[in-house]
Amino acid sequence: MEDKSKRPSNSNLKYESINQEDYIGSIHTLGEMPGVFHDWIDQYGFDFICVCDTRGNILYASSSAKRLLGYEPDDLTGERSIDFCSPQDREKLISTFMNQNNKATTFDLQIRQKSGKYIWVETIASHVEDPNTKNDVILAITRDISDKKEAEEMMIRSEKMSVAGQLAAGIAHEIRNPLTSLKGFLQLIQAGIDGKEEYYTIMNEEIEKIETITSELLFISKPMTNDRRKESIITMLQDVCTLLRSQAKLHNIDLVLNYEENEVIDCDRSQIKQVFINLIKNAVEVMEDGGRITVDVESDEDNVWVDVADEGPGIPKHLVDKIKEPFFTTKKNGTGLGLMITNQILEKHEGGLNVYDNEPTGSVFRVQLPREVSKAN
């Protein structure tokens, strides 16, 4: 066999073997990446690198600004970074500028391209000290996540429409009852019967009932917003229970809401209502023999907890950790997306979802939501 160590070298080879430890050591000695590597990353990298002062003025923008935003780097230098951010996301940037620690913060926001179009990006930013000027600056890396956001929105829309379809039978039944009453009262009024004022009052109540149910059904089909404000968690739960109570009745299930105070949390109304719709609908679907679903609300100074307790067969312990995974479901016609979406929404609100046994039978899905959510999320 040929001894490769004695093989003559090829004079045409342009590169020689380099000892890896010596090479890494040379970089550390220099204290920085070789300039040619930096230039290559700057020219071909997709992530947009930006340096701002503590007031948000852009000091440096990488060449990838052209690919991501359509601007030349020189066009951005000296501009206010907040001017390229969507109005609803500006508080996130302001909180980053005001944050004085060196901990990196990750958040999603929409920024404006040169064409005027807003795109979703993920930004990682932190305060660092400029080694040359010794000044505190903000270093940020931004990447385009528009495709990811579109995929999430399509998945959520699909799940929401699936929920609307599954509730259709119960909603139709719930609307038919007040419509029957309205028709009967109209016939009595046409016949000239006395006591019309009392009939008018009842008819108005029936119409309001229909309006409430249909408005909640339409709410499901709307795209999710990203607008956080102070909301009453009790009002949201009452709306969801109004929507799902008809579905519960079809399965001989009582839906009970228990609370002591009208708790207020910092949240996006559409997203948190989607969480409770998913949890209560799941509870209804697993209770094939009827029973009771109890929704209990508790709180302390920092958090609000909502327990959705059913009397179904329960969840085997070896499957508890899997129920939040995409496309995992224990139901025959389930999509496996409901709890995954629920968990994602709660994580964005700095909350959480835990599952416990409900004695003597069933499960308890416990939602934890903070009263205040940090602006960076």
Side-chain angles (χ1 to χ4, degrees), residues 94-113:
I94 293 172
S95 64
T96 301
F97 298 142
M98 294 177 63
N99 183 12
Q100 295 300 316
N101 62 44
N102 297 328
K103 184 179 179 181
T105 303
T106 303
F107 50 89
D108 298 348
L109 73 161
Q110 289 180 293
I111 58 176
R112 175 172 49 81
Q113 294 179 315

Side-chain angles (χ1 to χ4, degrees), residues 299-359:
S299 64
D300 63 14
E301 292 182 1
D302 300 318
N303 297 283
V304 176
W305 289 273
V306 180
D307 285 355
V308 179
D310 64 62
E311 297 176 353
I315 301 175
K317 292 187 181 299
H318 68 282
L319 297 181
V320 169
D321 293 334
K322 295 184 178 181
I323 60 174
K324 300 175 187 177
E325 296 178 3
F327 307 111
F328 178 84
T329 180
T330 57
K331 296 179 292 187
K332 293 181 180 179
N333 299 317
T335 62
L337 296 175
L339 287 179
M340 183 206 73
I341 292 169
T342 295
N343 195 54
Q344 283 183 346
I345 293 171
L346 292 174
E347 286 181 351
K348 289 179 181 178
H349 284 76
E350 300 177 7
L353 176 66
N354 291 295
V355 184
Y356 304 96
D357 289 333
N358 184 29
E359 299 297 339

